[in-house]
Amino acid sequence: MTLDRRTLLKTSLAAVAPGALWTATSARAAGVGDKELVLGTHLDLSGPVAIAMPVIRNGIQMGIDEANEAGGINGRKLRLVIEDNASQPSQAVRAVDKLIRKDEVFALLCPFGSGPNVATVKKAVDAGVVCFAPYAASGLVRQAAGQTPLLFTTNLNYDSTTSSAVKWAIGNLGSKKVGFVYQEGPFGDLVGKGVKAALAAKGMPLAGEASYKVGDLDFSSHVARMQAAGVDLIVCATTTRETIAVAAEVKKFGLTGVNVLTASPGRAGLTVALGKEAMEGVYGVGTWRIATPDQASAAEKSWAEAYRKRFKAEPDDVAAAFYDYTSWFLQEVRNAGRDLTTDKLVKALQASTFKGVASYDTQRFANNHIDPEWTRVEQVVQGRWTARSSVVDPAKSAL
């Protein structure tokens, strides 16, 4: 650990609650060189969610590459170090330890996974490293980090957004018996909190539930349990592969009167692209915009074409969202100025606003968490996620 980082770590103990201005040292942080700024992240490159990583990685890399191609930021080129967490907390701890001690990164940008982030965020912020936009259960990551201004969460809270969507389903789909299929761990716990809150508000019990472990492939018994419970709505705390598996089993069982609603991690363009017919009719909690070709603005079309040219692949909503997160972060690195320090970046981020290619509308940070939490319910219709509700902030208005 460098002298500057040791100094930063000591002063961070005096940090006030998230959202307030930080009074840490103005010494230049680790990772900030004369000509280079070093950033890091950890993604699932070899584990059960590896199939979804290329678009995430592309979105992050595109934002960084564009900044470098424009000459860098305030005289510095950006270097991104990517480590594999395999969706395993223990492996994430090793990855973050390497990023801090060996690579001496200035910040962690969009690290992936609830379990991996809960296990590592305290280590990062205690070392004076900014953690920006972890793709994880924000409430649990913030709890694990403790009182720190160095964590900025952009992933909408799984409990409040799922709760709002379940209430919508009860009111608009006529759901009377709700079942819950969930991943064991922080992600499933937080979605489950939202499901139970929605049911309690409606005076309804949870009709049935079935859990699975990260890496499980067979969901026939889970859906059979839902069938035995007589549910007419299955809420899923699942990621891409598992969402497809549950939807496919519902169709195999011939459960035509049963709707499937996936929490936001399963509601992605990639889920539809891979799941095809299995996903038709599935509902999802939308937390960023998916622009169809006929709805895309000139800026969205320009971005999509640039993505195709760069990666020789079709862009999707996830790539756009992670490009946005990266762009927001780099916007404020630029605004923090040439004399870049951690406290200057914290202040810049706390005062910032942003609207990107995947944003429903302009957002900012309130207590270091994204605000408003724009969301809506969508359904797969003819291979596309289609809006079924208006865009609202669940904290202020019901879907």
Side-chain angles (χ1 to χ4, degrees):
M1 190 179 292
T2 65
L3 177 61
D4 284 346
R5 179 154 279 166
R6 286 199 299 269
T7 303
L8 184 62
L9 176 56
K10 290 177 183 177
T11 58
S12 71
L13 296 176
V16 293
L21 296 182
W22 197 27
T23 58
T25 177
S26 61
R28 183 174 292 174
V32 182
D34 186 52
K35 296 183 179 180
E36 183 180 66
L37 177 64
V38 185
L39 306 172
T41 193
H42 51 96
L43 307 174
D44 181 356
L45 304 179
S46 62
V49 198
I51 193 171
M53 291 304 105
V55 290
I56 291 176
R57 187 171 183 167
N58 287 352
I60 299 169
Q61 195 66 56
M62 185 171 176
I64 288 175
D65 287 348
E66 286 183 347
N68 282 336
E69 289 159 8
I73 296 179
N74 297 327
R76 296 185 182 92
K77 291 297 183 73
L78 310 170
R79 177 163 65 91
L80 177 67
V81 183
I82 302 175
E83 294 295 329
D84 180 19
N85 67 30
S87 283
Q88 298 300 320
S90 59
Q91 186 159 327
V93 169
R94 292 192 293 272
V96 169
D97 190 61
K98 185 256 185 185
L99 289 166
I100 293 170
R101 294 179 180 275
K102 182 178 179 181
D103 302 300
E104 294 194 328
V105 298
F106 174 65
L108 294 178
L109 183 58
C110 305
F112 178 85
S114 293
N117 275 291
V118 167
T120 59
V121 66
K122 189 71 162 57
K123 174 186 284 287
V125 298
D126 280 355
V129 176
V130 172
C131 185
F132 186 83
Y135 190 56
S138 292
L140 297 180
V141 176
R142 290 165 69 85
Q143 181 180 354
Q147 293 293 313
T148 176
L150 300 186
L151 172 64
F152 289 83
T153 49
T154 58
N155 204 26
L156 273 57
N157 285 309
Y158 295 147
D159 52 348
S160 58
T161 54
T162 302
S163 178
S164 187
V166 171
K167 291 176 184 176
W168 179 91
I170 293 170
N172 291 272
L173 302 179
S175 303
K176 292 180 172 50
K177 298 190 72 175
V178 178
F180 183 41
V181 175
Y182 64 97
Q183 181 186 106
E184 295 178 5
F187 167 40
D189 292 344
L190 207 53
V191 174
K193 180 181 176 183
V195 172
K196 292 168 186 175
L199 294 176
K202 297 292 185 179
M204 297 169 58
L206 182 64
E209 59 183 314
S211 68
Y212 72 93
K213 297 182 183 298
V214 173
D216 285 355
L217 299 174
D218 186 357
F219 286 79
S220 56
S221 64
H222 301 73
V223 175
R225 195 174 304 175
M226 297 297 102
Q227 182 184 36
V231 306
D232 54 17
L233 175 68
I234 300 175
V235 182
C236 298
T238 48
T239 55
T240 296
R241 184 177 63 178
E242 295 80 12
T243 301
I244 296 168
V246 171
E249 290 295 337
V250 168
K251 286 182 168 56
K252 285 181 185 178
F253 276 73
L255 306 181
T256 54
V258 177
N259 289 307
V260 176
L261 169 67
T262 178
S264 57
R267 189 308 237 130
L270 180 65
T271 313
V272 176
L274 295 175
K276 298 182 172 61
E277 287 300 318
M279 287 297 298
E280 193 68 20
V282 170
Y283 292 86
V285 181
T287 57
W288 52 63
R289 173 177 161 82
I290 300 177
T292 58
D294 58 310
Q295 297 173 330
S297 66
E300 289 167 335
K301 290 177 181 177
S302 177
W303 177 84
E305 185 54 38
Y307 184 97
R308 293 186 191 97
K309 184 177 181 181
R310 188 177 297 272
F311 299 110
K312 305 296 187 284
E314 281 299 307
D316 74 352
D317 57 309
V318 176
F322 279 83
Y323 173 84
D324 282 352
Y325 298 151
T326 302
S327 298
W328 192 345
F329 176 82
L330 297 182
Q331 168 186 286
E332 297 314 314
V333 168
R334 182 174 291 105
N335 288 339
R338 168 69 183 173
D339 184 21
L340 179 63
T341 61
T342 305
D343 55 321
K344 285 185 177 180
L345 177 62
V346 166
K347 292 175 183 178
L349 285 167
Q350 289 174 342
S352 67
T353 60
F354 187 83
K355 181 178 180 181
V357 293
S359 306
Y360 288 128
D361 207 339
T362 300
Q363 292 169 298
R364 58 192 57 80
F365 287 108
N367 295 321
N368 284 37
H369 180 66
I370 197 167
D371 180 72
E373 289 195 317
W374 299 123
T375 190
R376 71 183 181 189
V377 173
E378 297 170 351
Q379 183 185 25
V380 180
V381 178
Q382 296 181 351
R384 290 181 177 175
W385 288 107
T386 303
R388 286 291 181 250
S389 78
S390 58
V391 176
V392 302
D393 176 4
K396 299 179 176 66
S397 178
L399 284 169

